[in-house]
Amino acid sequence: MVRNEGERLSRVIVSTPREQYFKVSDPKLHNFNEIADPERTLSQHGQLCAILARGGTEVIDLPELIGHPNSVFTRDASVVTPQGYVKLRLGLSSRRGEADWMASALEQHGEPCAGEIERPGTVEGGDVILAGKIAFVGHSARTNSDGVRQMSELLQKMGYEVRIADVDNVLHLGGTMSAIAPERILACRGNYPGGFFKGFEVVWVEEEGPSTGNVICLGPNEVLANEAENLRTMEALDAAGVAVQGVDLSEFRKGAGGPTCLILPVERKA
């Protein structure tokens, strides 16, 4: 169950990149910047998982989905809520099939289905950030207007107030913001709707890349960041009293992913 992304991370699903992440015959089709180095990639992913495990997080390692190099980015394949998982319909056509793959895995681990995004709607998990009574949803190239409507209706039935922002300069809303405590947000400066962050303390940073605001919240005011890209973000968080652990995730930027993209939070505890 995940109610708030700022709470203690206790269970995640990852997918170690052993083969499929490197089988990219058409980078544009899969939205890859370049092909990653297998040895470095595996080492970086291992370091990420080790940090999670040392912090007490149960790490469920799901084998990659054959023919899907993006399946390493488990975050996008589902959204886990207090009432179960939402089965998504991903916006990148080459990723269709990952939602079924993840739904099967979640059900095997006891998660009920709380709803499904249906055609013509598309939603990717990187565009949904749950924060207690508030759900932040990004309207992006991957999450279309019908997907926003369907996801909003599902979350509102669960008691969430849904706040929607247009995302036009990065892939997902999660590239520009992350929950770092139950009522605290890291966010890139930009054009957000009025009152978007009402009720939250915001640590502001200048946008420097496609995942400047993308960090994994390990627990309240404790995060993991990509030290290969987000040094200034790490400095800003440290100055704001947030404990920051850095890990080099440069090989995953080649696949256009950031830290949160590599984990699907299944359980967080207050």
Side-chain angles (χ1 to χ4, degrees):
M1 179 177 75
V2 177
R3 178 182 296 106
N4 191 317
E5 293 273 8
E7 294 177 335
R8 174 66 56 183
L9 186 62
S10 56
R11 198 180 198 195
V12 299
I13 290 179
V14 304
S15 184
T16 297
R18 292 189 170 89
E19 295 184 13
Q20 304 305 312
Y21 186 63
F22 314 107
K23 294 182 177 181
V24 185
S25 57
D26 185 346
K28 185 177 180 180
L29 176 67
H30 297 289
N31 195 47
F32 271 57
N33 300 314
E34 59 181 293
I35 309 303
D37 175 83
E39 185 176 348
R40 283 176 53 82
T41 301
L42 193 60
S43 174
Q44 290 178 5
H45 197 268
Q47 291 175 48
L48 168 66
C49 292
I51 291 172
L52 295 173
R54 284 199 301 269
T57 299
E58 177 187 356
V59 180
I60 301 167
D61 194 352
L62 188 62
E64 294 168 285
L65 181 61
I66 294 174
H68 287 260
N70 278 299
S71 58
V72 67
F73 300 122
T74 54
R75 168 83 188 208
D76 293 325
S78 189
V79 172
V80 178
T81 76
Q83 296 183 16
Y85 75 92
V86 177
K87 185 178 180 182
L88 304 181
R89 182 170 180 267
L90 280 70
L92 186 65
S93 59
S94 66
R95 299 194 70 176
R96 305 278 164 78
E98 291 181 36
D100 289 331
W101 166 72
M102 187 57 71
S104 177
L106 287 166
E107 290 182 2
Q108 288 176 20
H109 285 87
E111 286 294 323
C113 183
E116 179 175 355
I117 304 301
E118 300 179 344
R119 185 189 298 269
T122 62
V123 175
E124 295 193 351
D127 276 318
V128 182
I129 298 170
L130 304 180
K133 296 180 180 180
I134 308 300
F136 297 100
V137 177
H139 178 205
S140 70
R142 298 291 186 86
T143 298
N144 66 18
S145 57
D146 196 71
V148 169
R149 177 189 62 78
Q150 292 183 50
M151 180 59 76
S152 297
E153 290 175 356
L154 286 168
L155 293 172
Q156 286 166 350
K157 289 178 182 178
M158 298 178 194
Y160 281 97
E161 174 192 333
V162 178
R163 298 179 184 177
I164 301 164
D166 288 328
V167 179
D168 55 15
N169 55 337
V170 294
L171 192 61
H172 296 123
L173 181 63
T176 65
M177 65 169 287
S178 301
I180 55 175
E183 296 180 348
R184 206 175 193 200
I185 298 290
L186 165 70
C188 297
R189 298 187 187 279
N191 296 318
Y192 300 96
F196 192 65
F197 293 119
K198 182 181 178 181
F200 293 86
E201 178 189 352
V202 181
V203 177
W204 293 103
V205 292
E206 297 297 331
E207 184 178 311
E208 295 183 293
S211 59
T212 302
N214 188 307
V215 298
I216 295 173
C217 181
L218 302 173
N221 294 305
E222 181 184 348
V223 306
L224 186 151
N226 180 7
E227 63 186 14
E229 183 179 33
N230 286 355
L231 287 178
R232 289 189 181 180
T233 295
M234 294 169 69
E235 290 170 356
L237 288 168
D238 181 69
V242 177
V244 184
Q245 294 188 62
V247 63
D248 182 355
L249 297 174
S250 54
E251 294 300 315
F252 297 100
R253 282 304 316 145
K254 294 177 180 179
T260 64
C261 307
L262 293 166
I263 68 163
L264 173 64
V266 177
E267 183 179 76
R268 287 185 179 272
K269 294 182 179 180

